[in-house]
Amino acid sequence: KNEVEQSPQNLTAQEGEFITINCSYSVGISALHWLQQHPGGGIVSLFMLSSGKKKHGRLIATINIQEKHSSLHITASHPRDSAVYICAVSRNGAQKLVFGQGTRLTINP
Amino acid sequence: DAGVIQSPRHEVTEMGQEVTLRCKPISGHNSLFWYRQTMMRGLELLIYFNNNVPIDDSGMPEDRFSAKMPNASFSTLKIQPSEPRDSAVYFCASSRDAGTGELFFGEGSRLTVL
């Protein structure tokens, strides 16, 4: 079993829908990252969090340390949100990230 | 700041040739990471440096791969000799703090080994 599991692996939705991507991990962590990668493009860090909730525009990330779970929400989704979203964790005492397999999101107009 | 700068963006080479990928981290960042991304394996950490010193190179696939960071503003990843299975996108990333700092990625270097 992977240390970081994301669900769903693929998600297709209509423009305007509320999107939730989930990430569960099985190790103690010092931080959790949400990354975005557009097709053929680079990787952008969306959030880094170790507790609570963060919001940036239409994106919200939450983390529950006790349950070892994080969610990435997108409100009023738009076709330009179509990308692969990757969850990654920094393990306690370690400095390298462990990555989830990514969630491919497609928003249709 | 210009962000993390990688070169070349694309490289096509023949099996057996030496490949050198370059990275300039964001000024002031003390940690630098080299990642490889393939369809089969996703993102994998190859090596990371803290204050120019290699900390963990356990992800480097084999002796054909080597990485250096001669100063705080430059790093190279070298593959010699290259093989078709090395074809991938290689990302460089930097952060202020390797454990808890936000990561900033370069655009990646897409390598094709024929």
Side-chain angles (χ1 to χ4, degrees), chain A residues 37 43 45 48 95-97, chain B residues 37 45 48 58 100 103 105:
Chain A
Q37 185 173 28
I43 299 171
S45 175
M48 186 194 67
Q95 294 180 315
K96 59 184 185 182
L97 293 181
Chain B
Q37 186 179 41
L45 177 69
Y48 77 90
S58 59
T100 58
L103 271 177
F105 285 81

Side-chain angles (χ1 to χ4, degrees), chain B residues 36 46 57-65 85-86 90:
Chain B
R36 178 171 67 176
L46 299 177
D57 64 354
S58 59
M60 296 284 263
E62 47 198 271
D63 292 346
R64 298 184 298 106
F65 285 68
R85 61 192 165 124
D86 302 330
Y90 291 81

Side-chain angles (χ1 to χ4, degrees), chain A residues 23-27 29 63-71:
Chain A
C23 175
S24 296
Y25 52 93
S26 57
V27 295
I29 68 169
I63 187 168
N64 184 317
I65 298 295
Q66 287 73 30
E67 295 186 4
K68 291 186 165 58
H69 181 268
S70 174
S71 292

Side-chain angles (χ1 to χ4, degrees), chain A residues 65 74 91-92:
Chain A
I65 298 295
I74 305 174
R91 278 190 255 147
N92 283 335

Side-chain angles (χ1 to χ4, degrees), chain B residues 64-76:
Chain B
R64 298 184 298 106
F65 285 68
S66 63
K68 293 182 180 180
M69 192 165 186
N71 57 61
S73 59
F74 184 66
S75 177
T76 59

Side-chain angles (χ1 to χ4, degrees), chain A residues 5-109:
Chain A
E5 294 276 355
Q6 287 184 237
S7 64
Q9 289 192 25
N10 293 282
L11 177 59
T12 300
Q14 291 299 121
E15 183 173 355
E17 286 189 38
F18 181 81
I19 303 298
T20 296
I21 300 171
N22 297 299
C23 175
S24 296
Y25 52 93
S26 57
V27 295
I29 68 169
S30 55
L32 183 143
H33 302 251
W34 280 103
L35 310 171
Q36 179 194 55
Q37 185 173 28
H38 281 101
I43 299 171
V44 174
S45 175
L46 298 175
F47 295 102
M48 186 194 67
L49 62 166
S50 53
S51 65
K53 180 168 83 172
K54 287 189 175 180
K55 184 176 189 291
H56 185 256
R58 295 180 294 105
L59 272 59
I60 303 167
T62 64
I63 187 168
N64 184 317
I65 298 295
Q66 287 73 30
E67 295 186 4
K68 291 186 165 58
H69 181 268
S70 174
S71 292
L72 176 68
H73 305 285
I74 305 174
T75 61
S77 59
H78 190 276
R80 65 175 174 265
D81 298 325
S82 299
V84 175
Y85 292 83
I86 303 168
C87 171
V89 302
S90 304
R91 278 190 255 147
N92 283 335
Q95 294 180 315
K96 59 184 185 182
L97 293 181
V98 179
F99 293 92
Q101 73 275 38
T103 295
R104 184 175 300 276
L105 173 66
T106 303
I107 304 296
N108 293 319

